[in-house]
Amino acid sequence: METTTPRIAVIYATAQGSTREIADFIGAYLAARGATVEVADTEHAPELSRFDAVVLGSAVHDRALLPELEEFVRPHRHELRARRVWLFSVGLGPALVGPIGRRVGRIVPKEIAALRDSIEPVDYHAFAGHYERAGVSLPARTIYRVLGGTRYGDLRDWSAITLWSDAIAQALNLPQAQATPTHP
């Protein structure tokens, strides 16, 4: 019996680069597990018919995925539903640790849920991103602190990103990697 190498597209929309770095890591992780992977932003996304699976990612602004990802998904909805898709978002919610913040952070905003449900992904996961204090208004910083934001800077949890990437690899029956890529 001949086995084929799964072909995976990792397509992302980023505002400041954090989502791109996560997408690059996921792509490198899946490639290390034996998949043929192409990572691209939505503007340079490859033809989906060439791929067995797709990983989509976007930064979250104003409780919604970036318009670039939504504009990519809309005309490709049927193609995406015809293959295995994983969806991730990058925002502040997962970084909130206070009692109110944890509850708020677990809520999937309506706009994100609508897009998620339109493509029926195998899984959706929200990751924390970067949140820099510079340029953030006092009211926004106050709300962040009240909701349980404890620090600024790179809030990404690379262990969680690695575990999620591993779950994708397992779902696609990829072999174990000889070496695991490191995050930025």
Side-chain angles (χ1 to χ4, degrees):
M1 178 171 104
E2 184 179 320
T3 59
T4 60
T5 303
R7 296 162 300 169
I8 305 168
V10 180
I11 301 168
Y12 64 88
T14 191
Q16 298 173 356
S18 185
T19 306
R20 182 194 72 245
E21 289 175 348
I22 293 171
D24 285 340
F25 175 82
I26 292 169
Y29 188 91
L30 296 172
R33 294 284 300 262
T36 300
V37 179
E38 190 168 334
V39 180
D41 63 20
T42 56
E43 184 179 346
H44 301 98
E47 175 57 45
L48 293 180
S49 64
R50 297 181 16 233
F51 297 92
D52 305 305
V54 179
V55 177
L56 297 171
S58 175
V60 175
H61 284 194
D62 297 323
R63 300 181 49 81
L65 299 174
L66 293 180
E68 300 92 82
L69 188 75
E70 292 181 10
E71 290 166 12
F72 174 80
V73 166
R74 198 172 301 116
H76 296 99
R77 184 171 288 119
H78 296 294
E79 289 176 278
L80 291 165
R81 289 180 79 161
R83 49 195 40 79
R84 297 176 86 178
V85 174
W86 284 262
L87 175 65
F88 73 92
S89 62
V90 180
L92 275 181
L96 301 175
V97 296
I100 297 170
R102 276 194 302 272
R103 186 174 296 133
V104 169
R106 284 191 303 263
I107 296 170
V108 178
K110 284 188 251 180
E111 294 83 0
I112 295 173
L115 183 130
R116 177 199 63 201
D117 296 346
S118 76
I119 58 173
E120 299 178 349
V122 174
D123 189 30
Y124 163 72
H125 196 92
F127 297 111
H130 276 270
Y131 189 55
E132 301 299 335
R133 182 179 175 155
V136 177
S137 70
L138 178 61
R141 289 194 316 264
T142 303
I143 291 169
Y144 175 64
R145 291 295 188 185
V146 166
L147 291 177
T150 59
R151 64 183 179 88
Y152 294 92
D154 188 351
L155 306 173
R156 293 174 291 183
D157 180 347
W158 289 102
S159 295
I161 296 165
T162 301
L163 285 172
W164 194 70
S165 301
D166 190 59
I168 295 170
Q170 288 179 26
L172 295 172
N173 296 316
L174 297 176
Q176 289 298 320
Q178 298 300 325
T180 304
T182 58
H183 58 80

